[in-house]
Amino acid sequence: MTDKIPSFKEDIDMIDVPTDKLNTIISNFSLDSDTRKQQVKRKRNRILVVAACLLIGIPTTAFGAVKAYDMIVQKQNYGVNISVANKIFKKDSWYKMKIGYLPENMEVSEKTNDMKYSFKDNYANGGFSFILWRLGKNSDFQTLYANGYEEKEINGRKAVIVTKDTGNKNVMFDRQVFLLFKEEGMMLQSYVGTDVSDEQMLKVIESISLEPTTEEKATYTVDYDGSLFSKEKEPTESRVIPLKKDSKQLFSVGQTVPVTIDEGDKLEYVIEKVEVFNSINDFKQENFNELGLEILSGNKALDQTNKLLPYKRDVYKVGNGKDSVDELIESRLVNLKFVYLTTTVKNIGKQEIEEIYMHPSLEVLKSEKNAWSYAGKVGIAEDSIMTGEVDYLEPHGNGKSFYNIGSIQPGQTIKVNLGYFVDEDKLDSIFLDAFHYSGATEDMNAKNRWWIDIRQ
């Protein structure tokens, strides 16, 4: 890997690309903070949900190879492999990626080091995501769940455009573009969102160039290392330690939850009341997370009076994207509810807490002997409206800082209202994973985990 990787590792989880290679990179390199690990874990969960919603009904394609200049493109079943032979590429040059054209209303996403672009009205979703690879002696790039590809020449450079047919209306990226910079020894891998037209995609790709620069000013670059991808990892059994039913980290509604945040800030958190509603009409619309409302709208789960409607929940057996695709095993109408939490947060420390981020996740747990464990099954995923993220927050921050509820003075208590959209048949299994800032520990009983039983 290059010397720039430490910084790249910090931000790679912010690049929203559902790719097997990116996950491989993440899994092979430890991140610099436990918080980042948790973000990656959450992203992987979201990616798994997206991948599980694929239903590809295409015939098996016979293996074929076409040599295109420096690249050999092969397709077998649902996988497309692009191989690049390297004889002259240099390893000591640095480049800055320049994009000469962006569609109207598209901007760079924050904290992605100019590697993620999205439309302002669809922030951080869709658009373009990029990874710049410095090629090795022989480099192989594989794309899964592909239904076809096209070889093109763009501004004298060899390119391969891979299309995907997931059969899922919620898929975020449906095309990948590989653009070979032969003289520079670089491969630009681009992920293209469903909200980008083919015409816009080609205009953006055509406008991209690499300009020589210093290492300090260079675009984040990943050295291709075949060992990262040489062996397919076998699924491993979960090492999660279930939450004991008598765990000191498990609390009930009305109990005071003592919380210590990484920086040493101490809080007392109490869920005063849990209520379940069939409509969101009586709640301030500006307090809803836009993502949650968009998901409701996409699933037609909200009528004109803001009453929640049943929606179709699909359950899939997950394929590997190369030899098998996801298989629909269940589809049923599910009633939807809005779970509303009235809570308080008190600063019991001696100093002001300048920023508090309220993003407790909602988890569905199942009872096993004398413990609670995650309800999901290995190899099975649901296309559900339930995201686990906060769908309603009062107070909240603005725009990209939605979860920031502001500062709290020593001794001050503030009231915080939260809400989640929950499938009716999951109401008797929901728990709040509150103030989980300190990393992706697999021990559900760890001292930096606080669970609250909000079953209804």
Side-chain angles (χ1 to χ4, degrees), residues 52-328:
C53 298
L54 313 178
L55 184 60
I56 306 175
I58 60 176
T60 300
T61 304
F63 178 85
V66 179
K67 185 173 182 180
Y69 301 93
D70 300 281
M71 297 191 295
I72 294 179
V73 184
Q74 302 170 332
K75 186 176 190 300
Q76 186 174 25
N77 294 342
Y78 306 102
V80 171
N81 190 74
I82 301 170
S83 300
V84 182
N86 174 16
K87 295 180 180 179
I88 61 173
F89 296 149
K90 298 179 180 179
K91 296 280 289 183
D92 56 355
S93 299
W94 297 96
Y95 297 93
K96 180 71 175 177
M97 185 179 76
K98 299 286 186 179
I99 301 179
Y101 166 83
L102 284 177
E104 185 178 355
N105 204 34
M106 179 173 281
E107 63 180 3
V108 64
S109 301
E110 288 185 355
K111 298 181 181 180
T112 64
N113 294 284
D114 298 341
M115 299 301 277
K116 166 68 181 171
Y117 297 79
S118 58
F119 290 103
K120 293 179 182 179
D121 55 359
N122 193 26
Y123 182 75
N125 296 312
F128 292 88
S129 292
F130 300 100
I131 298 178
L132 185 63
W133 297 90
R134 191 193 306 276
L135 295 169
K137 183 177 181 180
N138 292 289
S139 304
D140 295 295
F141 301 89
Q142 185 183 66
T143 296
L144 303 178
Y145 294 103
N147 72 327
Y149 70 91
E150 177 186 6
E151 296 183 60
K152 293 180 69 69
E153 188 169 298
I154 299 177
N155 292 335
R157 301 186 180 95
K158 310 311 167 190
V160 179
I161 301 174
V162 181
T163 57
K164 299 184 177 185
D165 183 8
T166 65
N168 172 21
K169 63 182 181 299
N170 295 319
V171 68
M172 191 176 297
F173 296 89
D174 62 355
R175 286 151 293 172
Q176 283 184 234
V177 181
F178 295 85
L179 184 63
L180 176 64
F181 288 84
K182 178 179 177 181
E183 295 182 2
E184 295 84 353
M186 298 285 184
M187 177 72 85
L188 181 64
Q189 188 173 6
S190 309
Y191 299 84
V192 185
T194 55
D195 55 351
V196 177
S197 70
D198 286 341
E199 181 181 3
Q200 290 172 327
M201 174 187 70
L202 289 175
K203 283 186 177 181
V204 171
I205 299 300
E206 289 172 353
S207 76
I208 295 177
S209 61
L210 297 182
E211 297 182 1
T213 187
T214 63
E215 181 177 354
E216 291 72 23
K217 296 181 180 179
T219 294
Y220 283 122
T221 305
V222 184
D223 275 354
Y224 184 90
D225 183 352
S227 64
L228 291 175
F229 317 114
S230 59
K231 294 181 180 180
E232 294 185 7
K233 292 188 175 181
E234 294 295 329
T236 56
E237 291 187 10
S238 172
R239 297 181 179 273
V240 172
I241 300 175
L243 178 67
K244 298 177 181 177
K245 291 187 176 180
D246 60 355
S247 173
K248 294 181 179 179
Q249 302 306 118
L250 178 58
F251 300 85
S252 301
V253 174
Q255 277 190 290
T256 298
V257 182
V259 178
T260 301
I261 304 176
D262 285 347
E263 294 79 6
D265 297 325
K266 294 185 177 181
L267 305 171
E268 286 184 349
Y269 185 60
V270 181
I271 295 183
E272 306 284 355
K273 185 167 54 174
V274 180
E275 300 172 274
V276 179
F277 295 91
N278 295 315
S279 170
I280 60 172
N281 193 56
D282 294 332
F283 297 91
K284 298 178 181 178
Q285 298 301 296
E286 61 267 25
N287 292 329
F288 282 95
N289 190 329
E290 291 184 2
L291 175 61
L293 293 180
E294 288 174 2
I295 294 175
L296 288 183
S297 177
N299 284 272
K300 299 180 180 180
L302 195 66
D303 69 11
Q304 294 181 345
T305 67
N306 285 328
K307 180 182 178 181
L308 297 172
L309 302 174
Y311 78 99
K312 187 177 71 171
R313 184 178 70 199
D314 294 331
V315 180
Y316 292 87
K317 179 181 179 181
V318 181
N320 62 18
K322 183 179 180 181
D323 303 309
S324 61
V325 296
D326 301 340
E327 178 185 354
L328 181 66

